[in-house]
Amino acid sequence: MEDNIDQLYADIQRGNENTIAKAISMVEDGTKDAVKLMKKVYRNIEPAYLVGISGPPGSGKSTITQSIVQLWRKENIKVAIIAIDPTSHFSGGALLGDRIRMDKISTDRGVFIRSMATRGSLGGLNSSIYDTVLIFSLAGYEYIIIETVGVGQNEIDIVKLADTTIFVTVPEAGDEIQAYKAGLMEAGDIFVVNKADRPKSEQMVLTIEQLVSFRGDKEIWKPPVLATNALQDEGITDIKKSINDHHIYLEEKDLLQKNRREVIRAQMINLMEKKLNEKFISPILKDQKFFKHIELICKKKEDPYSVVNELLSL
Amino acid sequence: MDNFIKVLIAKPGLDGHDRGAKVIARGLKEAGMEVVYTGLRQTPEQIVRSAIQEDVDVIGLSILSGAHSYLFPEIMNRLKKADHSDVAVIAGGIIPEDDHKKLKELGIKAIFQPGTPISKIVDFIENEVQK
Ligand code: B12
Ligand SMILES: Nc1nc2c(ncn2[C@@H]2O[C@H](COP(=O)(O)OP(=O)(O)O)[C@@H](O)[C@H]2O)c(=O)[nH]1
Ligand SMILES: [Mg+2]
């Protein structure tokens, strides 16, 4: 058994695509072998530089990702992309369509694209995302991009994994942008107003610059606000340069390690929640008694506070 | 533990008819599957590489252009060469009955004609993946 894991580890390290892909599926499905593999990976591997790209659907995240990757590829840098789309709460299925805009890099041997659904329906971060980052790191990818649709808390949690977070919006976003202020706006290290070929993009750049300036003055990194036209590859070199600048900034201020400790902390909480859920909550939910309690609470014979204490033997 | 079925829906060649592929992609999603849709005009090389990287259980090829007899063998050969023949390949679109036997000999598991209800396709995939 251990030999199998060592073999798997070595094949990933050698960059075998079939094996990398299978290992990610194992992690997603939470198999026993995946746990064995990840134990070894965590003890040996430093994560590659992680870039998060987030923003509303259709803002151009996949198109921009492709353009940045093309620039890195000119320097022969290997890149992996994790393209995440939401799982439907109704069916549990997902439509993963980011590859449509990554056509130009899909046969490049130095690029690995993996689409993933959020899955984690109970809230909280899907821990397989960071495990996938580590698998790609083991395989020798130097940059890893995670694309997520910027809407909910789930996505903000994903974005927090990244060393550099890019937030993409479009000129028409208008007042919507105010709504993002609370969450993603605060997590952003680089802001991009894409589709600058359309009217009002300068106005949007100004609006965001203003919003960003409200951040506490302790903030030393001044997030750049960049206008791009991803269809024409305009402004993409600016994004690449800003990623580089932010990387240097993190290194100089010793913030890279700090961010990574935060990530491990989140990953730990996540794992604990998962275990508690598996061990204590799931069995209760499956027990007929649970439904009887619900009935009794509705009939005013019991109350949720007492029942929860009783069920969890607190 | 969790067992999600992952499917790649691909449109090989220069065929621009994408309604059917989109209908199938959405239908399979609504049936609880994770569906990777790669868009129009995929080369056999792109399709096989996507299938490997995404580690899908099923590849669904949609073709209405009539070029299946040229494109499908190419795809099946590349899958074999990449040591990835364990993935189930199915197809749909405008594919004349006369060609079905040959395509099935290549290893294509099933071919669905226009008008096939999505439930039939879902059942087939679920059965195939359980094997
Ligand atoms: C709509 C249509 C168009 C639209 C396409 C719009 C679009 N974005 O899709 C437009 C007007 C653009 C068009 C253009 C052309 N078309 Co046209 N078009 C049709 C038409 C009338 C309907 C196709 C359709 O959308 N059906 C509805 C969908 C839902 O059905 P479906 O795709 O068949 O999918 C079902 C099944 O096949 C199956 N399925 C399909 N894919 C998959 C995949 C998997 C994995 C599975 C499991 C199942 C499955 O499940 C689906 C649901 O039941 C057909 C005729 C017909 N009756 O099929 C001709 C037809 C396909 N077109 C044809 C032709 C020739 C053309 C043109 C070349 C015409 C021309 N000379 O310019 C161009 C080529 C365009 C291009 N770039 O490829 C011919 C093809 C002939 C052939 N194969 O030998 C057809 C058959 C008409 C004919 N009888 O001549 N077309
Ligand atoms: N006009 C214009 N369209 C763009 C630009 N960037 C992307 N698009 C288009 O916007 C649509 C959505 O792009 P996509 O990258 O898939 O967005 P995502 O959902 O954020 O990943 C596609 O049709 C792109 O071709 C741009 O700079 N200008
Ligand atoms: Mg996208």
Side-chain angles (χ1 to χ4, degrees), chain B residues 36-99:
Chain B
V36 180
Y37 179 55
T38 49
L40 291 168
R41 296 187 193 86
Q42 298 286 299
T43 63
E45 183 189 5
Q46 284 176 310
I47 292 169
V48 170
R49 191 120 188 273
S50 298
I52 292 172
Q53 294 186 336
E54 300 288 355
D55 190 28
V56 292
D57 305 295
V58 178
I59 303 176
L61 302 169
S62 177
I63 192 160
L64 287 81
S65 68
H68 47 271
S69 297
Y70 161 71
L71 290 162
F72 287 9
E74 175 77 14
I75 292 167
M76 300 310 280
N77 274 337
R78 279 180 178 272
L79 279 172
K80 209 177 282 165
K81 255 195 247 156
D83 198 17
H84 209 73
S85 301
D86 55 340
V87 62
V89 183
I90 60 174
I94 305 286
I95 304 174
E97 293 280 358
D98 290 352
D99 296 342

Side-chain angles (χ1 to χ4, degrees), chain A residues 16-291:
Chain A
N16 181 311
E17 288 203 346
N18 293 45
T19 314
I20 297 168
K22 294 271 182 233
I24 295 169
S25 302
M26 284 163 52
V27 158
E28 279 188 292
D29 293 340
T31 67
K32 288 202 173 87
D33 278 351
V35 173
K36 285 185 192 155
L37 173 71
M38 290 319 297
K39 282 182 183 172
K40 181 162 179 179
V41 173
Y42 267 96
R43 283 165 186 267
N44 286 284
I45 294 303
E46 195 58 38
Y49 199 78
L50 190 54
V51 177
I53 181 160
S54 192
S59 53
K61 301 178 293 294
S62 300
T63 313
I64 290 172
T65 297
Q66 166 166 276
S67 298
I68 300 174
V69 169
Q70 284 179 306
L71 288 183
W72 280 331
R73 290 302 299 146
K74 281 191 191 143
E75 297 169 24
N76 220 11
I77 293 169
K78 282 178 74 184
V79 192
I81 298 157
I82 307 173
I84 303 172
D85 283 301
T87 292
S88 155
H89 288 299
F90 298 107
S91 67
L95 195 53
L96 313 170
D98 296 306
R99 275 182 177 267
I100 299 170
R101 309 282 166 220
M102 300 189 190
D103 226 36
K104 292 182 195 155
I105 51 175
S106 67
T107 52
D108 184 331
R109 302 310 296 184
V111 179
F112 196 121
I113 306 171
R114 178 69 174 225
S115 313
M116 276 173 108
T118 43
R119 288 197 189 176
S121 54
L122 283 156
L125 182 63
N126 176 347
S127 63
S128 53
I129 295 169
Y130 195 64
D131 287 353
T132 301
V133 166
L134 291 176
I135 288 172
F136 280 135
S137 306
L138 170 62
Y141 292 92
E142 294 154 88
Y143 279 98
I144 299 169
I145 300 185
I146 304 187
E147 176 186 332
T148 53
V149 177
V151 275
Q153 183 58 42
N154 229 326
E155 285 72 20
I156 294 175
D157 287 341
I158 296 170
V159 152
K160 280 188 183 155
L161 297 175
D163 299 310
T164 297
T165 297
I166 303 171
F167 186 74
V168 183
T169 185
V170 289
E172 302 82 34
D175 291 340
E176 269 171 55
I177 206 74
Q178 302 282 349
Y180 280 115
K181 208 168 121 185
L184 281 160
M185 289 299 279
E186 270 156 35
D189 301 306
I190 298 168
F191 290 87
V192 173
V193 178
N194 188 38
K195 309 201 185 182
D197 47 315
R198 294 189 185 166
K200 290 193 181 167
S201 68
E202 280 156 42
Q203 219 168 304
M204 186 49 108
V205 169
L206 285 175
T207 308
I208 296 176
E209 273 174 350
Q210 245 172 10
L211 285 173
V212 172
S213 69
F214 282 125
R215 289 176 170 193
D217 32 29
K218 269 178 285 172
E219 204 80 46
I220 306 161
W221 171 257
K222 284 258 169 294
V225 184
L226 311 169
T228 61
N229 173 357
L231 285 188
Q232 306 295 327
D233 280 333
E234 283 167 22
I236 305 299
T237 45
D238 297 334
I239 302 182
K240 177 177 166 255
K241 183 178 176 301
S242 295
I243 294 171
N244 212 32
D245 291 346
H246 188 243
H247 187 173
I248 292 169
Y249 164 81
L250 291 177
E251 294 267 18
E252 278 176 353
K253 304 281 175 195
D254 239 355
L255 290 171
L256 199 55
Q257 286 313 317
K258 186 171 168 259
N259 182 41
R260 286 174 177 179
R261 269 195 291 277
E262 291 287 324
V263 169
I264 297 296
R265 183 177 173 271
Q267 196 74 347
M268 294 277 292
I269 294 174
N270 197 11
L271 269 180
M272 286 191 281
E273 281 175 355
K274 205 162 143 189
K275 288 269 171 203
L276 288 177
N277 208 358
E278 268 168 33
K279 239 181 126 87
F280 298 105
I281 300 178
S282 287
I284 294 174
L285 298 186
K286 283 184 200 129
D287 194 335
Q288 239 356 82
K289 265 201 319 210
F290 185 64
F291 298 97

